[in-house]
Structure formats: structure tokens, C-alpha cells
Amino acid sequence: MITLYHAPKTRSFAVLWLLEEIGVPYELKRLDMQNGDHKSSVFLKLNPFGKLPTATDGNTVLTERAAICTYLADTYALGRLAPALDDRRRAEYLRWMFFSVGVMESVFLAKFMHLDVPATQAPWGTFADVNAVIDGKAAQPPYFLGEQFTAADVMMGTMVRWGLMWDLVEGSHLRGYVDRIESRDAFKRALALDAS
Ligand SMILES: N[C@@H](CCC(=O)N[C@@H](CS)C(=O)NCC(=O)O)C(=O)O
């Protein structure tokens, strides 16, 4: 049985959405971050980093949402939400799984914090480059891997959606992409669970 330790309006939403896309049974354990549940001694034994999302699959502990999503899609939806191991499209799939946290998250933080990092040293290059890359990708609908919706859309989609909400990204194609992912039944179920 999979358990997701979750708090609303956090990065944990990506895992919640993916679990809804996968369709396997799972238990949702809601933690109260205001109350410090994620820093309790019991929780820190599970994840000493004290962060959400954290998940378990039986006795296996999962942390870091890109890793959690990669594991869950490979284990429970290989070929459907992740290209099979011998599918050459896996290279692009992994590119976006890593890009979401390695590049998008870094550039968002840099923009929030008004960090001025030389493009050659910043993992994101320039903000304009990132924006152009993702808007160019969204210009080839429907999804990041073409016709097939994958966990890469969960990871990139949550980032693009937050980027639009906070005016961190712009581009005519990005809104259409976010409208597409938001119209998915699994996304709507995850949003309702997140809010409940
Ligand atoms: N690199 C982690 C980041 C997780 C993270 O920072 N989660 C935030 C919630 S969005 C958190 O748990 N913050 C609580 C804290 O640090 O006290 C991931 O992608 O899973």
C-alpha cells in the first residue's frame, strides 16, 4: 500500500495528482505544517529532511517529488505514464523530469529572491531562455511528449501552472497547455482532495 504524507498547496500536489492519474489505491495522510507535524520525531524518522512530499510504498520510503513521481510512474504505470525502459522517448521524458526541479524551480526561486547569477553559472542560463524553451514546447500540443500524457506533464505542468499564477512565466502557448492539463479528470480530483 502506498501512503502519501501531504499538506495542501505544497509541492506534494504533484504526487497527489500523479497518484490520481495512476489510479492505484493509496492512503493520504494529511500533516499540519503550522503545527509542525513534519518536524515531529516520528516523521523525522521517516524523512530526516522534514519535508513534504514524503511517501512510502510498503517499507520503502520515497522523498523528493521528482524521484517519487519517477518511481511511481515506472512502478505502476510504465508504458502509460512513463515511456518503457527501451523506448527512446525516455530520454526526453527524463529531460523534463529533471528540468522541472533542476531548472524551473531554481529559476523561480532566483526570480523571487532577485538573485543576479551569471548565465554561464546559473543552471537555468537566463530567465528568457527558460521561458522560450517551455513556451516553444507548449506550442507543440497537446503534451510534453506529444500525444501521450506522462508524469513529465505532472512535473512540468505543476511548475508552469505555478509560474503563470505568480507571473513568473509568460507566453501565448503556456496558458493553453495549463488549460489542457487542468481539464483532466485526475487533475480535478487531486485539486478537490488538496482543498478538502
Ligand atoms: N526538494 C523537495 C522540496 C520539498 C519542500 O521544500 N517542501 C516544502 C513544502 S512545498 C516543505 O516541506 N516545507 C516545510 C519545511 O521546510 O519546513 C521536493 O521537491 O520534494
Side-chain angles (χ1 to χ4, degrees):
M1 177 64 135
I2 298 164
T3 301
L4 173 61
Y5 295 81
H6 177 78
K9 295 189 189 314
T10 65
R11 291 168 172 91
S12 184
F13 178 77
V15 180
L16 180 61
W17 176 20
L18 183 65
L19 283 166
E20 286 298 317
E21 293 282 355
I22 292 172
V24 284
Y26 66 93
E27 184 186 6
L28 192 58
K29 281 205 175 156
R30 296 168 202 274
L31 267 58
D32 183 348
M33 290 176 76
Q34 304 290 347
N35 199 33
D37 289 358
H38 59 305
K39 303 293 180 194
S40 73
S41 55
V42 175
F43 186 79
L44 289 177
K45 275 196 192 121
L46 200 60
N47 180 1
F49 198 32
K51 292 263 191 194
L52 303 178
T54 294
T56 53
D57 184 6
N59 293 328
T60 304
V61 178
L62 311 166
T63 69
E64 292 302 319
R65 72 193 191 285
I68 300 172
C69 287
T70 304
Y71 168 91
L72 290 175
D74 280 355
T75 307
Y76 294 102
L78 193 61
R80 180 163 67 90
L81 293 171
L85 297 183
D86 60 355
D87 184 334
R88 306 288 289 186
R89 292 175 312 147
R90 197 163 168 92
E92 180 160 24
Y93 168 77
L94 290 174
R95 171 195 182 193
W96 296 117
M97 294 300 276
F98 284 73
F99 195 93
S100 65
V101 283
V103 177
M104 298 285 284
E105 189 151 299
S106 311
V107 77
F108 282 0
L109 195 62
K111 218 173 173 197
F112 265 134
M113 305 301 284
H114 304 288
L115 296 180
D116 189 14
V117 185
T120 50
Q121 285 160 29
W124 57 88
T126 68
F127 183 75
D129 288 345
V130 175
N131 207 130
V133 165
I134 59 172
D135 194 48
K137 195 68 206 167
Q140 304 160 42
Y143 299 120
F144 267 67
L145 256 70
E147 289 302 319
Q148 188 179 359
F149 177 91
T150 68
D153 292 293
V154 171
M155 288 303 301
M156 285 301 294
T158 46
M159 295 309 291
V160 171
R161 183 167 173 267
W162 289 333
L164 284 178
M165 272 181 198
W166 300 327
D167 290 327
L168 294 168
V169 289
E170 57 185 35
S172 54
H173 304 291
L174 293 176
R175 184 72 257 169
Y177 172 69
V178 168
D179 287 347
R180 276 193 294 286
I181 59 171
E182 286 183 344
S183 72
R184 295 179 67 82
D185 289 344
F187 180 90
K188 290 180 197 162
R189 287 196 301 276
L191 209 56
L193 283 167
D194 195 49
S196 65

